[in-house]
Amino acid sequence: MTAPALFALHPTANGRQIGVITLHAEKSLNALSLAMIRAVTPTLLEWRDNPDIVCVLLQGAGEKAFCAGGDVVAMHDAIRSGDFATTDAFFTEEYALDYAIHTYPKPILAWGHGIVMGGGLGLLVGASHRVVTERSRIAMPEVTIGLYPDVGGSWFLNRLPGRLGIYLGLTGASFNAADALFTGMADFALPSALRDELCQELAAIAWTGQGEQDKRLLSSQLRELSRLTQLELPPSPIRAHYDAIQSLTDYDSVDEMVAAITRYEGADEWLRAGAKKLAAGSPTSMRLIVAAQQRARHLSLQQVFDMELNLSRQCCRHPDFAEGVRALLVEKDNAPRWSPASLAEVDEALIAGFFMPPL
């Protein structure tokens, strides 16, 4: 059986060590499974407490993806068999891992190359040093499978400029490295070809063993690498369309926002793609996405993860999540039968119930 994650230690020039974690499920684009989470978390915590280890590099196997999100097909199968113990454990342990990354006292460099979606973005955003490449393709596309942007998305999307978080959550729009830098979801852009040299670059740093000081040293090294390589990135659609996004989301109700976004019939392909994805999404997810971000606005990170745990456990018990995964990834007929079928049928009482722990 293939190990879900690989672990290695690399010596530094001054006698310290760098821990490398590789998500090891290349065929599934390094999708997060429960086994992977259970492999990564204890190692990450062990390295946190080991004074010899001064930095962690988190990467995905292969050239296609950092992490394409949670293993939602496994979630679908568990839901269909009524195994909510497994789905509850998955989200509980995934969020604990995300929180550990967000609060890690040592530098964590996440190499966000290739596909970074859903749970993958949760891992990337939490790291102290988020690196993207010219081939990064990022999204929170949960509206298409009857879920919502979780893994702390209710927290970090809320911190984007203007109403970008609402727009990206509702449309599941795909964005690139320049977008990630513009929105603050990434810190540095480096050429993908630099990956093989990365450990050598990290090994040369004069690590001190003091977490905050080492974070500054790593920032300085990555900044210098960025200046030396002068990577040319594709333009940022989010930046180009910032004013349009503000206009499309400048409404008091979810109904008006959804209507405005899906009505877009202009020439721009990026905005058209967002409109199309939203129109095909789960009506329940649409209301849930906005409600979650509104409720999370003044919550701490830990409180957001606690809130999202209730939401995600309830989503597993609501028909849309399994149905969305079935239509998109299992039977692939792209014809989900949402319940309720329209936004008008999704009332406040239904949404309020998602924020309560399941009975």
Side-chain angles (χ1 to χ4, degrees):
M1 182 176 177
T2 305
L6 303 178
F7 307 97
L9 294 175
H10 291 267
T12 69
N14 65 354
R16 309 276 186 168
Q17 288 184 313
I18 295 161
V20 179
I21 299 175
T22 304
L23 308 179
H24 190 230
E26 193 174 347
K27 287 184 179 178
S28 66
L29 301 175
N30 301 317
L32 274 171
S33 63
L34 189 54
M36 185 184 288
I37 293 165
R38 287 177 171 172
V40 170
T41 301
T43 301
L44 193 66
L45 298 181
E46 178 189 332
W47 288 353
R48 179 193 65 189
D49 300 330
N50 184 338
D52 291 333
I53 296 173
V54 289
C55 176
V56 175
L57 169 61
L58 179 60
Q59 62 183 5
E63 292 300 320
K64 292 183 179 179
F66 169 63
C67 173
D71 186 352
V72 293
V73 173
M75 294 294 99
H76 164 275
D77 295 345
I79 291 167
R80 291 295 195 216
S81 65
D83 183 9
F84 295 115
T86 293
T87 58
D88 287 354
F90 176 85
F91 287 112
T92 300
E93 296 179 40
E94 181 186 25
Y95 298 167
L97 173 59
D98 290 329
Y99 187 75
I101 292 172
H102 273 275
T103 58
Y104 210 66
K106 299 176 181 181
I108 298 182
L109 191 167
W111 183 255
H113 170 71
I115 295 171
V116 185
M117 292 187 180
L121 188 56
L123 297 175
L124 179 79
V125 166
S128 62
H129 295 72
R130 294 86 52 91
V131 177
V132 286
T133 77
E134 75 282 2
R135 288 168 54 194
S136 296
R137 186 160 65 86
I138 312 167
M140 293 296 279
E142 289 80 4
V143 69
T144 62
I145 56 167
L147 201 57
Y148 68 101
D150 63 327
V151 294
S154 309
W155 186 84
F156 64 76
L157 290 178
N158 252 322
R159 281 154 178 76
L160 303 188
R163 288 180 293 277
L164 291 181
I166 290 289
Y167 182 85
L168 293 177
L170 284 174
T171 62
S174 180
F175 55 99
N176 62 24
D179 292 317
L181 294 172
F182 173 67
T183 58
M185 286 188 276
D187 306 299
F188 303 96
L190 293 174
S192 57
L194 196 64
R195 172 174 172 164
D196 292 341
E197 304 169 28
L198 200 55
C199 280
Q200 294 176 10
E201 296 287 347
L202 298 180
I205 295 174
W207 302 100
T208 68
Q210 303 298 315
E212 292 307 313
Q213 189 171 344
D214 284 344
K215 288 177 184 179
R216 290 191 291 272
L217 289 172
L218 179 55
S219 293
S220 179
Q221 181 76 353
L222 293 173
R223 194 173 294 117
E224 183 64 20
L225 283 172
S226 181
R227 288 169 179 163
L228 287 172
T229 53
Q230 294 185 326
L231 179 63
E232 288 191 21
L233 295 174
S236 162
I238 290 177
R239 189 170 194 162
H241 300 309
Y242 181 83
D243 290 340
I245 290 169
Q246 298 314 298
S247 177
L248 291 169
T249 53
D250 188 17
Y251 296 94
D252 293 325
S253 74
V254 180
D255 306 72
E256 290 172 303
M257 266 191 275
V258 169
I261 295 169
T262 55
R263 258 198 323 261
Y264 178 81
E265 294 180 347
D268 187 85
E269 281 301 318
W270 191 81
L271 291 173
R272 287 172 70 93
K276 184 178 179 181
K277 196 172 285 186
L278 175 56
S282 157
T284 300
S285 290
M286 295 173 197
R287 291 209 190 279
L288 198 57
I289 288 162
V290 177
Q293 289 194 37
Q294 288 175 339
R295 291 197 185 207
R297 193 163 293 153
H298 300 294
L299 299 182
S300 69
L301 179 61
Q302 182 62 67
Q303 288 170 327
V304 166
F305 278 122
D306 291 343
M307 179 193 79
E308 289 186 351
L309 184 56
N310 285 336
L311 294 179
S312 297
R313 292 176 67 202
Q314 290 285 13
C315 282
C316 291
R317 291 157 173 82
H318 184 275
D320 276 8
F321 182 26
E323 172 61 11
V325 175
R326 178 206 66 78
L328 192 69
L329 299 170
V330 179
E331 297 179 10
K332 301 181 181 180
D333 60 17
N334 292 310
R337 296 179 289 275
W338 302 124
S339 177
S342 70
L343 193 58
E345 296 174 86
V346 184
D347 59 30
E348 290 184 12
L350 175 63
I351 297 303
F354 278 86
F355 291 88
M356 304 298 292
L359 296 176

